[in-house]
Amino acid sequence: MSGNLALLNDTLAAARAEGRAALIAYLPAGFPTVDGGIEAIKAVFDGGADVVEVGLPHSDPVLDGPVIQTADDIALRGGVRIADVMRTVREAHAATGKPVLVMTYWNPIDRYGIERFTAELAEAGGAGCILPDLPVQESAAWREHAEKHALATVFVVAPSSRTERIATITEAGSGFVYAASLMGVTGTRESVGAQAQDLVERTRTTTDLPVCVGLGVSDARQAAEVAAFSDGVIVGSAFVKRILDAPDAAAGVTAVRDLAAELAAGVRRGRASG
């Protein structure tokens, strides 16, 4: 069974052909429940997201800020398992026909087994994985299995990365490059800043892969700002916060659909003005 790397590539290429950045949303599996998480992801797609990253909740999410840590804790206390992550991917993709990736730390995959994980993700219709803490020099086994199953391997570059290091990372990756807009953990911020644009420009000198920016984008204005210089705008904490702040599950679904629509308008406005 092949994964959906080609669908991811085509989706990002279609956004570029429309003269805009793609909107990539993040939500953890199992949050607020497994079923509720699936409904939230479908709503985000309905609101205008092009791609969704499904987070695999982890007990020690070192790169995630307090909002996503809270959501992960809720999911883990609810008993979420890797099987639930795969079900989330399967149902979200089947309902929408759109690309769904998994964002995960390396330890859960290592424990589960690389071949088992990649085979199940491909069977579920997944497009690939974002692996923020897997060093490129230790990624050969993962990449071999990912390529076999037609799954993207998305690595993260940071403002602190030297250009030579970025080239090593981008050469090993596929799908797109995740450019962390600033040093630190995930979360919403007042400004995404010039660091992100510099990082995108340096990354583009090393690769033809789309360069998508995450960490800190929370509203349409920031989405427009980032869309002016990137191929994709990644938003996570703002979606999670909408669900955390909602009085009930139905209100949370409505809230993330509305936010997706606002952000989708922002990414279109950004490229027009960039």
Side-chain angles (χ1 to χ4, degrees):
M1 181 79 182
S2 289
N4 270 313
L5 170 57
L7 175 64
L8 175 64
N9 291 340
D10 290 348
T11 299
L12 295 173
R16 178 179 285 184
E18 292 174 16
R20 66 175 179 88
L23 174 60
I24 303 174
Y26 166 95
L27 281 168
F31 169 72
T33 61
V34 176
D35 288 342
I38 292 167
E39 290 308 307
I41 291 167
K42 290 193 286 190
V44 166
F45 273 131
D46 188 45
D50 298 288
V51 179
V52 166
E53 306 169 8
V54 174
L56 194 161
H58 193 272
S59 57
D60 186 26
V62 292
L63 298 177
D64 292 311
V67 171
I68 291 175
Q69 286 183 17
T70 298
D72 277 6
D73 185 55
I74 290 168
L76 290 167
R77 283 191 282 113
V80 71
R81 297 288 182 267
I82 288 180
D84 300 311
V85 177
M86 297 300 177
R87 180 186 154 213
T88 300
V89 172
R90 178 181 294 105
E91 294 195 15
H93 172 65
T96 64
K98 294 183 178 179
V100 182
L101 301 104
V102 169
M103 186 166 189
T104 179
Y105 295 97
W106 179 245
N107 192 40
I109 295 177
D110 197 33
R111 290 203 312 266
Y112 198 72
I114 300 172
E115 171 56 24
R116 181 185 178 195
F117 190 94
T118 52
E120 290 183 9
L121 182 57
E123 189 275 330
C129 256
I130 301 161
L131 301 162
D133 67 339
L134 176 63
V136 170
Q137 62 270 26
E138 298 173 19
S139 67
W142 162 266
R143 287 186 284 126
E144 177 186 345
H145 289 288
E147 288 167 17
K148 181 171 80 171
H149 291 290
L151 295 168
T153 297
V154 178
F155 289 117
V156 179
V157 296
S160 60
S161 304
R162 294 181 181 275
T163 302
E164 304 78 42
R165 173 68 178 160
I166 291 172
T168 301
I169 292 170
T170 59
E171 185 179 1
S174 56
F176 63 91
V177 182
Y178 188 123
S181 66
L182 35 75
M183 301 304 295
V185 297
T186 58
T188 60
R189 288 173 175 81
E190 289 300 310
S191 173
V192 179
Q195 273 190 322
Q197 185 165 0
D198 174 69
L199 177 59
V200 169
E201 289 170 357
R202 289 194 294 126
T203 303
R204 282 187 172 144
T205 67
T206 73
T207 184
D208 291 329
L209 289 172
V211 183
C212 303
V213 174
L215 303 195
V217 177
S218 61
D219 58 32
R221 177 186 60 79
Q222 291 173 332
E225 176 192 343
V226 174
F229 59 79
S230 71
D231 299 299
V233 179
I234 303 169
V235 181
S237 295
F239 282 112
V240 172
K241 192 171 188 305
R242 290 285 179 108
I243 294 174
L244 288 171
D245 290 347
D248 54 51
V253 168
T254 299
V256 294
R257 182 185 292 111
D258 290 348
L259 178 59
E262 294 165 20
L263 294 166
V267 299
R268 284 160 173 81
R269 191 166 67 246
R271 189 57 61 88
S273 62

